[in-house]
Amino acid sequence: MAEKLMQKVEMEELEEEEEEVEDQLEDWDDWNSDEEDSDRGFICLFCNMKYSSTETLFEHCSSTHHFDFQSIRESLGLDFYGCFKLINYVRSQVAENRCWTCGLTCQSNKDLLNHLHEPVSLGDSKNFWQDDKYLKPYMQEDSLLHSFAEDEDGEDDCTTSVDREELMKELGITLDFENICIDDGNTFDLVCSKPDTNDENVRKASSSASSSLFNVGDQLEKAMVDLIETKDNIGFTHKRQEDKHKRLQFAETVAKKIKNANENYFGSYSSFGIHREMISDKVRMDAYMGAILNNPSLLNGATILDVGCGTGILSLFAAQAGASRVISVEASHKMASVATQVAKDNGLLWNGSFTGGNNQCTGVINVVQGMIEELDESLNIPPNSVDVLLSEWMGYCLLYESMVSSVLYARDRWLKPGGAILPDTATIFVAGFGRGGTSIPFWENVYGFNMSCIGKEVAQDAAQLPVVDVVDSHDIVTNAVVLQSFDLVNMKPQEMDFTASVELEPKSGHPGDNHTDLQPKITWCYGVVLWFETGFTSRFCKEVPTVLSTSPYSPETHWYQTIFTFREPIAMASGKPECNGMAEIGTETCPAMKIQSRISIVRAEQHRCIDISLETVGICCDGRKRSWPVQIFRL
């Protein structure tokens, strides 16, 4: 009687578990249907056509645009990240009307679509998208980036043999021997369930049934077929989970890279050498000291937030100017300790206590260790309670180090409406430089020996890597123009990435000009140089506004200038020289009257670095133009 009762209970449990499996499969089907209903389609890499599946999209790209994604992936052995980069690379090139395989820039998207062709050498093309910057999605909400692996998953399902243990492990399923019902050794039912090693009944049933399992080989094969069919039913869910896992892996990789970059970046500021260099920069210190100490109406009695205080020198100036409270934030553990000790040694460290009965704090500077984005974890500052936001955030080429984003974060969270930012403006300038701005002259005469072969090689390397160095004002051969301006009161973080076009004309009367009274003035432009200025304007510094300039025409600073060298120098001429219509523009027989430069500066995938692209066009006196291949630099 008891045995029959137990069998009845087991059968009821079996039926309940079967119902649960069916419910799960129905839920998966509903999920599948919902996902398909919400699918917004996949946009073509080259035109505006939209497709409901990646398969039809790639068929279109192959037949219409000569882009065979599957063939490229297989021939180059691209993994998930390689395919991810390729898609972003192609989209970025098409946005610039540039052929993804040969690099030719077309006048319009229509011209580009007519130009597209089969890649000549895939092996050479692969290098184009190796840069990790293409791990950043070029197009927002690009559904293709999360779906291109679908076809690959399908092929694996068809071609890969099914291993029993691997399949069971993959599905997260184990055989529940408690629910294997053997009837006369001919038939049995198999229920799939999650493992439950704590179930005593399972262990007992497994033991009692083990002797009968030797005779059910055929039934086990049938059960494996059922499992495979189950896998087909839940394949969509499994793929979604796999895609989610890949995305999480990708996000974790990016987060780890950012963390490492931040640690290296802030760690580099633990060296006293770099702080001595910055404090010894007279132009830098005079500008900040003047803005802080010479504008009492701004600083006296104010609450100051110093972002990236370093040694705390600017915070000391703010305290000296009469600030009632200075919150000094420094991410480097070592320098935060140093700034604390410096403030203490100068009697300016706030310790949260009052002295005697005069109700006065012992100091006003409160040093907080950590990134500004994590300040809330260490200190409770009411939102919009800071009067003045102070920071020396500028890097080479202004935007290197990307610290301005931290300043904007602090502005949006803690600065009062109408509060001041020091400095409050920033401007990038560009000009062309001549032969003296390169290292070529140095190597032509080394203690009387000709080493020009070294100079040529160095110049070739400079056409690939930016150079941070001093450019003498006498070596500037064109007018200087504004490339981009920023107003930190209204600036948005995405404005750090920009593209701007400028037109450069040769300076007249340049001492390096090679001419006679009968010849046009020829000037050779070897590249462009960038520098910046930051302004402490009268908007906030009403008594004494000031400017910090890193121009070649100003005293040298520790920022120097940033040099981008052309692959070949361009001849320029002022006035209206005679042009040889058969000669190439930019040569001595057909000098350019103007150089048009299109410069893009964007934050690189490598955290705190920036990528700079340089497109150059020479225009001669008869209006003809010559374009040089785009140059990509990373700073």
Side-chain angles (χ1 to χ4, degrees):
M1 185 75 173
E3 184 178 354
K4 290 183 179 181
L5 181 60
M6 179 169 288
Q7 288 178 352
K8 182 178 179 181
V9 172
E10 290 175 353
M11 289 301 296
E12 289 176 353
E13 291 178 353
L14 174 60
E15 291 173 358
E16 290 177 0
E17 293 186 3
E18 286 177 341
E19 290 176 0
E20 289 179 4
V21 172
E22 290 176 0
D23 291 341
Q24 290 176 1
L25 290 176
E26 288 177 3
D27 292 340
W28 287 325
D29 290 339
D30 292 340
W31 186 14
N32 192 352
S33 176
D34 293 341
E35 290 288 346
E36 290 176 353
D37 292 340
S38 63
D39 190 0
R40 294 175 296 173
F42 304 101
I43 300 175
C44 175
L45 295 170
F46 302 93
C47 63
N48 294 324
M49 296 290 290
K50 187 179 288 188
Y51 294 87
S52 60
S53 70
T54 58
E55 182 179 0
T56 53
L57 168 65
F58 287 135
E59 285 178 359
H60 162 76
C61 289
S62 178
S63 60
T64 305
H65 304 307
H66 307 286
F67 180 80
D68 190 342
F69 176 78
Q70 304 296 353
S71 176
I72 294 171
R73 181 176 66 179
E74 292 172 6
S75 60
L76 296 179
L78 298 181
D79 58 8
F80 175 82
Y81 296 108
C83 295
F84 199 97
K85 289 181 181 180
L86 172 60
I87 291 172
N88 285 318
Y89 167 74
V90 172
R91 289 206 188 279
S92 69
Q93 299 304 292
V94 171
E96 301 292 337
N97 295 325
R98 186 178 297 113
C99 178
W100 73 276
T101 179
C102 72
L104 177 69
T105 301
C106 301
Q107 294 297 320
S108 66
N109 181 258
K110 182 178 180 181
D111 292 340
L112 174 64
L113 296 181
N114 292 330
H115 163 80
L116 292 173
H117 55 84
E118 299 285 348
V120 178
S121 175
L122 279 176
D124 295 336
S125 301
K126 185 177 181 180
N127 295 325
F128 296 157
W129 63 84
Q130 289 303 298
D131 198 311
D132 284 348
K133 69 180 181 181
Y134 295 116
L135 286 173
K136 180 180 180 181
Y138 184 83
M139 187 176 76
Q140 294 296 322
E141 299 181 0
D142 189 353
S143 56
L144 181 60
L145 293 175
H146 308 297
S147 305
F148 63 79
E150 288 181 2
D151 296 337
E152 184 179 10
D153 292 340
E155 292 170 5
D156 290 344
D157 290 342
C158 294
T159 59
T160 304
S161 60
V162 179
D163 180 88
R164 299 182 186 183
E165 293 183 3
E166 287 298 321
L167 177 59
M168 308 283 278
K169 182 178 179 181
E170 182 180 357
L171 294 175
I173 297 170
T174 59
L175 293 180
D176 189 346
F177 291 102
E178 177 187 9
N179 296 313
I180 297 179
C181 301
I182 302 174
D183 183 11
D184 297 332
N186 295 322
T187 61
F188 73 93
D189 295 324
L190 176 66
V191 176
C192 301
S193 68
K194 293 293 181 180
D196 187 355
T197 56
N198 295 323
D199 193 330
E200 185 65 24
N201 291 330
V202 171
R203 290 195 293 271
K204 290 180 179 178
S206 298
S207 177
S208 63
S210 61
S211 60
S212 302
L213 289 177
F214 292 105
N215 301 318
V216 296
D218 294 337
Q219 288 84 350
L220 184 58
E221 291 295 336
K222 179 180 180 298
M224 292 307 301
V225 172
D226 293 338
L227 278 176
I228 294 170
E229 291 176 353
T230 302
K231 181 184 178 184
D232 290 339
N233 290 331
I234 66 172
F236 179 82
T237 302
H238 177 64
K239 180 185 69 60
R240 285 288 177 182
Q241 292 172 341
E242 190 176 73
D243 288 346
K244 181 180 180 180
H245 177 66
K246 289 179 180 179
R247 290 195 294 271
L248 288 174
Q249 272 190 327
F250 176 69
E252 289 172 358
T253 300
V254 172
K256 185 176 181 180
K257 286 186 176 182
I258 291 175
K259 181 181 178 181
N260 291 339
N262 283 334
E263 289 177 352
N264 293 334
Y265 170 67
F266 295 120
S268 69
Y269 279 90
S270 297
S271 168
F272 293 125
I274 191 170
H275 290 281
R276 175 170 180 170
E277 181 183 23
M278 292 188 292
I279 292 175
S280 300
D281 186 337
K282 191 174 187 302
V283 174
R284 171 186 184 265
M285 296 309 300
D286 285 351
Y288 274 92
M289 185 166 60
I292 295 171
L293 297 181
N294 296 331
N295 292 280
S297 65
L298 177 63
L299 276 296
N300 191 28
T303 297
I304 314 295
L305 178 58
D306 184 358
V307 180
C309 70
T311 60
I313 183 64
L314 302 186
S315 296
L316 297 173
F317 287 152
Q320 187 178 357
S324 62
R325 185 185 185 190
V326 181
I327 304 166
S328 309
V329 183
E330 173 56 43
S332 167
H333 288 269
K334 180 175 181 179
M335 293 314 301
S337 299
V338 170
T340 300
Q341 187 63 46
V342 169
K344 181 178 180 180
D345 291 346
N346 288 273
L348 294 173
L349 183 66
W350 179 76
N351 60 15
S353 63
F354 295 93
T355 58
N358 60 7
N359 213 31
Q360 292 291 319
C361 285
T362 58
V364 298
I365 297 177
N366 182 11
V367 180
V368 182
Q369 190 281 316
M371 295 176 59
I372 191 70
E373 292 82 359
E374 302 169 353
L375 181 58
D376 282 332
E377 300 175 7
S378 306
L379 191 66
N380 182 21
I381 305 176
N384 309 122
S385 62
V386 169
D387 298 299
V388 180
L389 183 59
L390 177 64
S391 182
E392 194 276 80
W393 53 267
M394 300 83 73
Y396 299 132
C397 201
L398 183 68
L399 297 175
Y400 175 66
E401 298 179 2
S402 301
M403 189 176 163
V404 66
S405 59
S406 297
V407 176
L408 301 183
Y409 177 88
R411 176 201 66 186
D412 295 340
R413 184 157 183 79
W414 292 293
L415 190 64
K416 288 181 178 179
I421 302 178
L422 299 181
D424 59 308
T425 65
T427 306
I428 302 177
F429 295 86
V430 59
F433 66 88
R435 194 166 182 271
T438 71
S439 62
I440 294 175
F442 173 84
W443 293 105
E444 287 181 336
N445 188 341
V446 180
Y447 294 98
F449 297 100
N450 180 5
M451 296 188 180
S452 57
C453 61
I454 299 177
K456 292 178 181 178
E457 187 170 336
V458 172
Q460 291 173 356
D461 292 341
Q464 302 177 36
L465 298 171
V467 177
V468 177
D469 203 351
V470 175
V471 176
D472 193 288
S473 60
H474 292 93
D475 293 318
I476 301 297
V477 298
T478 73
N479 59 322
V481 296
V482 172
L483 179 66
Q484 188 79 345
S485 295
F486 303 96
D487 183 345
L488 272 76
V489 173
N490 305 308
M491 180 182 177
K492 295 179 174 57
Q494 57 265 32
E495 292 178 29
M496 293 174 61
D497 304 327
F498 69 89
T499 299
S501 297
V502 296
E503 194 168 85
L504 304 176
E505 299 180 355
K507 287 168 56 177
S508 58
H510 183 263
D513 290 341
N514 177 24
H515 69 278
T516 67
D517 294 336
L518 301 178
Q519 293 178 328
K521 299 176 181 179
I522 301 295
T523 299
W524 289 93
C525 182
Y526 279 74
V528 295
V529 56
L530 272 60
W531 67 88
F532 67 86
E533 290 181 355
T534 55
F536 303 81
T537 71
S538 58
R539 172 168 48 184
F540 300 123
C541 297
K542 300 186 183 301
E543 288 92 346
V544 183
T546 188
V547 174
L548 192 167
S549 176
T550 64
S551 166
Y553 299 97
S554 300
E556 178 183 323
T557 72
H558 80 283
W559 286 286
Y560 307 109
Q561 290 86 39
T562 308
I563 302 167
F564 302 93
T565 305
F566 295 151
R567 290 191 179 94
E568 60 180 79
I570 300 173
M572 302 184 71
S574 57
K576 293 185 178 180
E578 294 183 4
C579 291
N580 182 346
M582 301 299 292
E584 280 193 311
I585 299 170
T587 59
E588 193 165 3
T589 54
C590 188
M593 291 183 61
K594 300 176 182 178
I595 292 178
Q596 291 179 340
S597 288
R598 187 168 184 265
I599 300 174
S600 298
I601 299 180
V602 299
R603 286 163 290 183
E605 181 275 334
Q606 185 176 343
H607 193 48
R608 299 198 179 276
C609 295
I610 56 175
D611 287 333
I612 304 98
S613 68
L614 174 62
E615 299 174 68
T616 307
V617 177
I619 305 175
C620 71
C621 58
D622 60 8
R624 290 185 298 123
K625 297 182 179 180
R626 178 189 175 189
S627 299
W628 281 265
V630 65
Q631 294 176 254
I632 306 293
F633 302 86
R634 171 163 291 188
L635 181 63

